[in-house]
Amino acid sequence: MLIAKPAILEGNKETVAEIGKESITRQEWLTELEERYGQETLRDLIDQAVVKQMADEYSIKVSDEAVERELTIYKAMYSSAGNEPKTEESWKQQIKYSLLLEELLTKDVKVSEEDMKSFYEQNNSLFDIPASYHLSQIIVETKKEADSAVKELKDGSSFTALAMERSIDEFSANEGGDIGFVTEEDELISPKVVQAAKSLKSGEWTGPVKVENGYAIVYLNEKLEGKKYAYGDVKNQIRRQIALEQMDIPVSARAFWNDAEVSWFYGDKEKK
C-alpha cells in the first residue's frame, strides 16, 4: 500500500493536455466527462442489465434470424453515414436489446391475425427491401485530380484519409467519404455513382466517374441483396409494432426498474 498509494495519486495528476503553460489533468477530464455524460451512460448500462434480467425471468428470447432481418431492414432503409455503431457486433447487440425490450413491453398484448395481415398488406413496401450499397466517395473537380487520387489508392493510400484530404464534398469528406447505404431510388445520390457501384466487390473502388460537380471515385464497403420478406417472416415484428401503437407508451426499460429492484448513484439526486 505504501508503494501503490503515491502511484494512484500520481495517476490523478497525469496530464492529458497542455495549452502553453497550462495543463489539464486526467482527473479534471474524467470529472468533466462524468458531469456531462455520467448519468446518461449509467442509465444505459442499467437499462441493458434490466432488460436482460427481465427477459430471463419471463423466458423471452430473440432469434439470430430476427436480429439479422432487423439489421438488414435498418441498413437498407434507415442507415446513414455517422449514425451507426462502430462494429457489426455492436450493431447486433443494440438491435437485440431493442427487440427484447419490445417483447417485454408487449408480452401481454393480444393482436388479431386479421389486424396483422391487414398491416402487412397495407405496408408491403416496408418489407420489400431493394438492393442497397454502403458506399464511400471522393469527389474532386477535375479528371486529372481523380486520376491522381486513383493512383494514390493503388499505391496503398487509405481511402478514408484521401477522402478527408481531397474530397470537395464537405459532408462525406468529414466522414472519411462515407455516405452510408444508398439505393437506385435515392434522389440525393447521382445514379451514375450507384451504377458504378454495381460492378464492384466489397473493398474495391472505381475509376473516375463523371458527376454533376466533378468526378467521383466510389468505394464499396458492403452490398445488401434485395429481399422481399413474406408475412410469416415479419409477423412477430408487426405484432410488436401494432401492440406498441395501441399501448401508446414510451419504449423504455424504465418501466421494469421497480421489478428489477434498481437503486443507483443518481437516485437521490433525481428526487430532489
Side-chain angles (χ1 to χ4, degrees):
M1 286 297 295
L2 290 174
I3 296 173
K5 188 174 181 181
I8 293 172
L9 291 175
E10 189 63 32
N12 290 338
K13 296 178 181 178
E14 178 187 350
T15 298
V16 293
E18 293 183 350
I19 308 93
K21 295 181 179 180
E22 299 294 323
S23 64
I24 298 173
T25 67
R26 174 176 290 275
Q27 188 57 49
E28 289 172 330
W29 176 42
L30 294 176
T31 299
E32 184 68 19
L33 284 174
E34 183 184 340
E35 288 180 356
R36 289 193 187 189
Y37 311 112
Q39 185 168 343
E40 181 182 348
T41 302
L42 182 55
R43 181 185 286 113
D44 288 344
L45 291 172
I46 292 170
D47 284 346
Q48 292 168 26
V50 165
V51 167
K52 184 179 185 304
Q53 180 178 315
M54 300 309 294
D56 289 343
E57 182 174 327
Y58 289 104
S59 300
I60 292 175
K61 299 184 183 300
V62 171
S63 68
D64 291 340
E65 291 79 5
V67 172
E68 290 289 349
R69 181 173 60 252
E70 291 280 347
L71 178 59
T72 298
I73 292 174
Y74 179 79
K75 282 182 177 180
M77 305 290 282
Y78 309 110
S79 174
S80 60
N83 74 339
E84 66 271 4
K86 297 297 183 183
T87 66
E88 184 96 345
E89 187 57 36
S90 61
W91 216 338
K92 290 180 180 179
Q93 288 174 1
Q94 285 190 17
I95 289 173
K96 185 174 183 179
Y97 164 80
S98 296
L99 294 182
L100 284 172
L101 176 55
E102 289 179 2
E103 288 286 355
L104 281 167
L105 289 170
T106 62
K107 60 184 174 60
D108 298 321
V109 180
K110 304 296 182 184
V111 179
S112 71
E113 192 79 17
E114 181 181 354
D115 285 345
M116 288 188 287
K117 285 184 177 179
S118 177
F119 183 96
Y120 178 79
E121 291 167 3
Q122 293 175 20
N123 299 275
N124 207 259
S125 62
L126 294 176
F127 311 109
D128 189 0
I129 309 302
S132 57
Y133 309 84
H134 182 188
L135 303 180
S136 296
Q137 64 180 10
I138 298 171
I139 306 291
V140 292
E141 292 182 345
T142 66
K143 176 75 159 49
K144 183 178 180 180
E145 290 175 298
D147 288 334
S148 174
V150 169
K151 183 179 184 305
E152 288 190 51
L153 290 171
K154 289 180 178 178
D155 289 341
S157 292
S158 160
F159 194 99
T160 298
L162 209 57
M164 296 179 75
E165 178 186 343
R166 301 281 188 86
S167 184
I168 61 174
D169 181 61
E170 291 185 10
F171 173 76
S172 61
N174 290 335
E175 299 292 340
D178 192 350
I179 58 175
F181 280 86
V182 301
T183 69
E184 287 187 283
E185 290 75 31
D186 197 322
E187 297 179 356
L188 299 178
I189 304 298
S190 168
K192 293 180 180 179
V193 167
V194 181
Q195 194 63 36
K198 288 184 176 182
S199 63
L200 299 175
K201 295 179 181 178
S202 294
E204 293 182 343
W205 62 81
T206 66
V209 177
K210 185 70 177 77
V211 293
E212 185 177 345
N213 55 338
Y215 288 84
I217 301 153
V218 183
Y219 180 90
L220 179 64
N221 298 283
E222 181 184 359
K223 177 182 177 180
L224 295 176
E225 300 293 345
K227 186 175 180 63
K228 183 174 178 63
Y229 290 105
Y231 170 71
D233 296 328
V234 295
K235 176 180 176 179
N236 205 39
Q237 178 181 341
I238 292 172
R239 182 197 66 79
R240 292 194 307 271
Q241 186 164 342
I242 293 175
L244 287 169
E245 289 174 357
Q246 290 177 351
M247 295 168 69
D248 192 26
I249 60 171
V251 181
S252 168
R254 201 64 185 267
F256 301 100
W257 277 32
N258 286 338
D259 293 342
E261 299 180 351
V262 171
S263 60
W264 68 320
F265 177 76
Y266 295 96
D268 293 337
K269 295 181 181 182
E270 283 198 326
K271 292 175 184 177
K272 293 179 181 178

